[in-house]
């Protein structure tokens, strides 16, 4: 008894129901699908006897023989060393916190709430106050106390782990 392997996926309808054959699926050589879709199958034993065909490698250059010019990555500062300042201040934008501060008016409600789930109480208050002064969306306003309580919990957790 010979076994056939499906070369590519396809679907047929039989009796009002779809029947899907996936690439690599094995079927016996007496399967009725081979009568109508035999061109999509190959004999497993025959495929095993054939030597593997080499797949051509993709060229890494635009033209054969052309040399690529590589740009080395910019140096990444070592997080363990903090030359010239507090790493937390630099991550928040250096001397100008307004430069990279999160702006709730430039984000949708879902993004604002997701950001608020990651910050402490001071940042949560700043963002919630900016939201109230700006768009004042009800979806954010009704979550204010819950957001602040969670932020206080994160602050407390951070304090407990540093002690």
């Amino acid at each position: 008894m010979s076994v056939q392997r499906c070369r590519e996926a396809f679907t047929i309808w039989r009796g009002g129901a779809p029947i899907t054959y996936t690439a690599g699926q094995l079927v016996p050589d007496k399967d009725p699908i081979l009568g109508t879709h035999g061109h999509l199958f190959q004999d497993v034993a025959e495929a095993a006897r054939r030597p593997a065909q080499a797949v051509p490698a993709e060229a890494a250059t635009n033209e054969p023989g052309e040399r690529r010019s590589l740009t080395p990555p910019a140096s990444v500062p070592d997080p363990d060393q903090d030359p010239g300042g507090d790493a937390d201040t630099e991550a928040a934008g250096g001397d100008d916190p307004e430069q990279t501060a999160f702006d709730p008016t430039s984000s949708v409600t879902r993004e604002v709430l997701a950001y608020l789930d990651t910050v402490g109480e001071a940042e949560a208050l700043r963002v919630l106050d900016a939201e109230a002064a700006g768009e004042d969306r009800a979806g954010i306003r009704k979550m204010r106390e819950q957001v602040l309580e969670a932020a206080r919990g994160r602050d407390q957790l951070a304090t407990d782990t540093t002690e």
Side-chain angles (χ1 to χ4, degrees):
M1 180 173 165
S2 177
V3 177
Q4 303 288 316
R5 182 184 68 83
C6 184
R7 293 182 188 186
E8 61 184 71
F10 66 95
T11 301
I12 62 166
W13 289 83
R14 187 177 293 151
I19 299 174
T20 301
Y21 291 84
T22 58
Q25 182 175 345
L26 302 176
V27 297
D29 62 350
K30 294 187 183 349
D31 193 301
I33 192 65
L34 297 173
T36 57
H37 293 77
H39 63 284
L40 296 173
F41 291 85
Q42 78 181 105
D43 185 68
V44 172
E46 179 185 326
R49 282 191 295 266
R50 273 191 261 146
Q53 296 177 354
V55 177
E58 182 178 328
T61 60
N62 289 339
E63 297 294 327
E66 183 179 322
R67 296 189 66 89
R68 294 191 311 166
S69 62
L70 299 176
T71 306
S75 64
V76 178
D78 186 2
D80 294 335
Q81 297 178 355
D82 188 17
D86 182 21
D88 294 337
T89 304
E90 289 177 10
D95 295 334
D96 187 10
E98 294 298 319
Q99 183 180 11
T100 58
F102 180 80
D103 179 16
T105 61
S106 65
S107 301
V108 296
T109 301
R110 183 183 70 240
E111 293 169 342
V112 174
L113 291 173
Y115 175 74
L116 289 170
D117 279 341
T118 65
V119 298
E121 183 178 17
E123 176 65 0
L125 276 170
R126 185 195 67 77
V127 171
L128 289 167
D129 289 344
E131 171 66 25
E135 294 187 29
D136 196 26
R137 292 171 276 199
I140 296 172
R141 185 178 53 239
K142 72 180 182 181
M143 300 291 292
R144 182 180 178 93
E145 290 308 313
Q146 184 179 349
V147 165
L148 289 173
E149 185 63 33
R152 288 184 198 110
R154 282 188 293 279
D155 284 348
Q156 184 64 38
L157 183 62
T159 303
D160 290 346
T161 58
T162 58
E163 292 177 354

